[in-house]
Amino acid sequence: MEQIGITEYRKEKTDILIDLRDKRLYSFGTLEGAVNIPMDAVHELYALPKDKRIVLFCQSGDYSREVAELLSDNGYHVLNLTGGYRKVILEKG
């Protein structure tokens, strides 16, 4: 499982960008192109294709790191955005 900072990440056309935050937090804003699969529906991630790069983030990057490790252990190509969405907000200042 790879980790990448949110400022270094550049979305590839084939990336599947997943926001793991709950629907309420997602409704306040997210990264462009992100799909919301909240924590209570994390089992849905196992339906994603293994031939695509999956990029995960949450509010702080901690939960998404754990989920990324699980997916990586099951054969998925996963990136975790360290710092999470909170870092995006802090950098916008």
Side-chain angles (χ1 to χ4, degrees):
M1 186 258 322
E2 299 173 55
Q3 301 247 30
I4 188 168
I6 220 153
T7 56
E8 293 82 34
Y9 171 68
R10 299 291 175 260
K11 189 174 185 310
E12 302 285 328
K13 286 183 182 181
T14 58
D15 284 356
I16 300 172
L17 182 60
I18 306 291
D19 184 338
L20 295 171
R21 299 174 305 143
D22 65 37
K23 293 189 183 305
R24 184 183 62 81
L25 289 174
Y26 178 80
S27 72
F28 290 123
T30 192
L31 298 178
E32 185 177 340
V35 175
N36 184 226
I37 299 179
M39 296 177 204
D40 60 350
V42 76
H43 62 279
E44 293 177 16
L45 294 173
Y46 290 102
L48 296 174
K50 289 187 176 182
D51 63 339
K52 305 262 185 187
R53 186 169 80 162
I54 300 169
V55 182
L56 301 176
F57 69 96
C58 62
Q59 188 69 10
S60 67
D62 296 331
Y63 179 72
S64 57
R65 182 182 64 246
E66 292 176 23
V67 173
E69 288 174 4
L70 288 172
L71 288 174
S72 182
D73 289 347
N74 283 283
Y76 291 88
H77 181 199
V78 184
L79 283 176
N80 177 50
L81 294 179
T82 59
Y85 192 71
R86 180 179 295 149
K87 186 162 181 131
V88 172
I89 298 303
L90 292 173
E91 290 180 1
K92 286 183 179 180

